[in-house]
Amino acid sequence: MIDRRIFGLGLGVSLAGGLAACGGSKNAARWRLGFSQVTTTEPWRVLFSREMREAAAKHPEIALTIADGQDRTEKQVSDVEAFIRQRVDLILISPKESAGLTGAVEAATAAGIPVIVLDRGVNTEAYRQFIGSDNLKIGRMAGDYAVGLLGGKGKAKGRMVEIWGGMASTPAQERHKGFAEAADAEPGIVRLVDRQDADWKQDRAYNIMASALKAHPAIDLVYAHNDPMAYGAYLAAKDVGRQGEMRFIGIDGIPTEGAKWVKDGALTATFVYEPPGAEAIEQAMRILHGEQVPKRIELGTQVIDVGDVDAFLATHA
Ligand code: FRU
């Protein structure tokens, strides 16, 4: 799955604050699709939206509108409500958080509009399909990797910091849970900092890490729920000359961020979190053509570390 994707942000287009339509022209198109994207500022999100726009552009019979939720639940709720009022033919949503967007998804479904939920989950089954990578599995892979770094199963020893993505979102909860299954089974792994929510942001992770560095004279491992936060933690350690003392693990693995930071030696490993934009359009077309689709589509993942970063970048840049 991963290999057929074109990573890279060279053509990234920002949608600051607005709506943008693509695909068929609005009047000519047979179907109108509305995508409520949580935010368009982070590179992983930009790539996700871009791949969706590129896939939509191949279908003149659809017109895709992307609404930028500006990283705010209320804005995203009103974006979905607007799509419902406009009676679009299909709604796609990648929600900021699960509880806050559950009602909007239920309302769209109740209005008879098929909904595809992308990447982050909601607390209802009232949608047609979910598409995303398995975050529990990614968390487990990261946990096993961390145990390996710290000495191996049954022998691992080390002091660690975990930096959370948005705690109200399913990827953060699952990335924590999967990791904890491996790491917390090791009596030698000590958690110094836990349950610190940096909401996926590099600058917030920097601040959490700066405090952790002041409080703890020795740290062996930092696990952050995405690459921007892992890199923020790395920068905080670097600024006090302590980056060599510990390893940093992140998640996302896009060529312009995580994979590059592995290549540069800032991160020890990252795990690919495949953006679901292109797959979402493929599935939307099936739904619009009246086909039955599976309730859940799982996208792939893979670890990227020093052993394979060159090969990864060669095929994905
Ligand atoms: C981008 C992001 C990614 C992360 C995903 C989780 O907004 O924070 O870095 O993997 O969302 O939903």
Side-chain angles (χ1 to χ4, degrees), residues 92-109:
L92 304 125
I93 177 168
S94 188
K96 164 101 180 140
E97 36 144 352
S98 40
L101 272 310
T102 294
V105 168
E106 286 174 337
T109 298

Side-chain angles (χ1 to χ4, degrees), residues 63-93:
L64 170 69
T65 300
I66 301 183
D68 177 1
Q70 298 168 358
D71 215 18
R72 288 187 292 120
T73 298
E74 322 78 72
K75 168 72 166 65
Q76 222 182 349
V77 168
S78 72
D79 288 343
V80 174
E81 285 170 353
F83 287 143
I84 297 173
R85 275 198 308 278
Q86 293 156 18
R87 305 253 6 121
V88 298
D89 298 289
L90 186 140
I91 291 177
L92 304 125
I93 177 168

